[in-house]
Amino acid sequence: MSASTTYTATSKLHGQEPLDQEIEHIIRESKNITIKSGTESALYGPDPEGLKILPEPSRERLEASGVDLSKGYPERPDKSKVPVYLDEAFAIRNEDYPYIERGKNADPEKNALLGAAKEVNDLTKHIGTEIVGLQLADLNDKQKDELALLVAERVVVFFREQKLSVPKQLELGAYWGQVEKHIQTTQVPGFPGTTVIWVDYRRKNGLNMTYKNTNLGNWDASKHGSSGNQVWHADLVHEHQPAGITHLHLDAIPNEGGDTLWASGYAAYDKLSEEMKRFLDGKKVVVFSAHSYLDRNDPFGGPKRIERVHPLVRTHPATGWKSLFVNRAMTRKIIGLSPVESDVILNYLFDVYEKNADIQVRFKWGPQKPGYGTWYQSHFFG
């Protein structure tokens, strides 16, 4: 006859400390356990190995921006600050914070912004505009407000060949709202809030990047997982206040590939029948985080994700336009419907985004010309 012992979150091992604290201590102290996503190194701080593969255009921009590369690049997350437990992660930015919707009172004609450009090219009917002949670093406040409105209307706006320093990029972000400081991702050393997206670096550290198409059929990313390059998604939808504007600056661009796709949530909503719109208006969805954590009350129950409830249809405060707020990678269910009903409707809505090319834009960045894109994350998935 065998005996088993069940511990609760307040039980003690070895009589030293509560179980949840002891587990956290083991995770934080072990060099063989990582609490970040993927399979990146469990070490933290600037990475000297990253400098060995840093592309020259990136190095030039970083050094010109005053970034200290003497200890390495990029800055890896501080393991002591990455949440282990679900309640800790849920508490991050879990409050209302005031912000100014810069596009709301901007000139609808956007004369200050568009009048200063050499060219303004709408890339498709519903989504995507490229502005030629403007440097983002030189915009005045009136032009920044008009850019916020243009982004709200066109979902994604592109600028090529920008001379934009890292501090100036952060300054632009702070003008439009609170800069999100992601404690679980690599950053530019000395500039928290500037997340480094670097596929070659992640591959070097063991991340298995695959390019199979998981969008075909009714793929359930919430059950089977995905990478950002596999499934249409929007970042940080699980937050109390999801991101408004995200801006991306490309330092180095491959000679082929590297294209990025976006889809318009406005146009996706407009494709629905009036009866379907009436059915969906007022509905709420459960969305979840990309990162997983332990449940303090059930630490041996396996990793769990943050879940939060948001409206399925959102209205933009600057335009007044309605947009679908669902994405295959991070939407779990529609509240109030049975699992079967929810799955059927969500997979249909995912397909509206993913299978209608007329509401999408595909942008080719290069080659070898640093570009800069700005888009409203709440209203597209790419």
Side-chain angles (χ1 to χ4, degrees), residues 106-358:
D107 173 13
E109 300 300 319
K110 310 172 197 68
N111 290 319
L113 178 73
L114 303 184
K118 291 181 180 179
E119 297 179 26
V120 179
N121 302 313
D122 288 341
L123 304 181
T124 74
K125 178 180 178 180
H126 299 290
I127 178 174
T129 296
E130 182 175 1
I131 294 181
V132 180
L134 279 182
Q135 287 293 321
L136 287 161
D138 298 333
L139 297 183
N140 58 39
D141 288 354
K142 184 176 178 63
Q143 291 171 318
K144 294 175 191 174
D145 292 346
E146 293 177 4
L147 177 56
L149 179 58
L150 181 64
V151 171
E153 294 173 346
R154 296 295 298 168
V155 183
V156 56
V157 179
F158 303 96
F159 298 82
R160 294 186 189 269
E161 300 182 61
Q162 293 294 299
K163 297 179 180 178
L164 187 70
S165 69
V166 175
K168 193 66 179 181
Q169 185 177 0
L170 274 175
E171 181 184 317
L172 279 169
Y175 181 82
W176 287 315
Q178 182 189 64
V179 175
E180 184 260 342
K181 298 175 182 177
H182 204 315
I183 59 176
Q184 290 150 300
T185 61
T186 51
Q187 305 278 312
V188 175
F191 294 91
T194 53
T195 298
V196 175
I197 303 173
W198 187 5
V199 173
D200 286 345
Y201 178 77
R202 299 193 74 187
R203 281 201 183 105
K204 180 178 180 294
N205 284 280
L207 182 66
N208 181 24
M209 300 292 289
T210 62
Y211 295 91
K212 63 182 180 181
N213 188 346
T214 54
N215 285 337
L216 298 178
N218 290 335
W219 174 265
D220 190 339
S222 68
K223 295 178 182 177
H224 305 298
S226 67
S227 295
N229 60 302
Q230 293 175 321
V231 177
W232 289 82
H233 68 283
D235 295 327
L236 301 174
V237 294
H238 70 280
E239 297 230 339
H240 179 72
Q241 285 183 225
I245 292 179
T246 301
H247 47 118
L248 171 71
H249 184 96
L250 279 75
D251 295 322
I253 303 168
N255 290 323
E256 65 281 325
D259 299 7
T260 311
L261 285 82
W262 291 262
S264 169
Y266 300 137
Y269 180 80
D270 288 343
K271 278 189 172 290
L272 304 177
S273 67
E274 293 304 313
E275 191 62 34
M276 178 61 83
K277 291 177 183 176
R278 283 191 288 271
F279 174 75
L280 295 178
D281 285 346
K283 293 287 190 297
K284 295 183 182 296
V285 289
V286 175
V287 294
F288 58 91
S289 61
H291 297 268
S292 299
Y293 309 89
L294 297 180
D295 185 341
R296 191 183 299 276
N297 295 314
D298 183 20
F300 298 115
K304 295 180 173 62
R305 298 175 188 264
I306 298 171
E307 291 189 348
R308 204 173 301 260
V309 175
H310 282 304
L312 191 155
V313 177
R314 308 192 74 153
T315 302
H316 196 286
T319 64
W321 302 346
K322 290 184 176 181
S323 169
L324 286 182
F325 191 71
V326 297
N327 73 94
R328 191 181 296 274
M330 297 172 190
T331 307
R332 195 174 302 285
K333 64 180 180 180
I334 301 174
I335 292 177
L337 302 186
S338 72
V340 173
E341 293 168 338
S342 176
D343 286 350
V344 168
I345 293 174
L346 282 178
N347 276 301
Y348 165 69
L349 297 178
F350 299 154
D351 284 349
V352 172
Y353 266 114
E354 298 166 4
K355 296 183 178 180
N356 285 285
D358 62 317

Side-chain angles (χ1 to χ4, degrees), residues 20 34 59 67 69 76 79 99 138 228 246 251 261 322 341 346 379:
D20 59 337
T34 177
R59 183 186 292 270
V67 176
L69 299 178
R76 295 164 295 189
K79 193 173 181 179
Y99 75 100
D138 298 333
T246 301
D251 295 322
L261 285 82
K322 290 184 176 181
E341 293 168 338
L346 282 178
H379 299 275

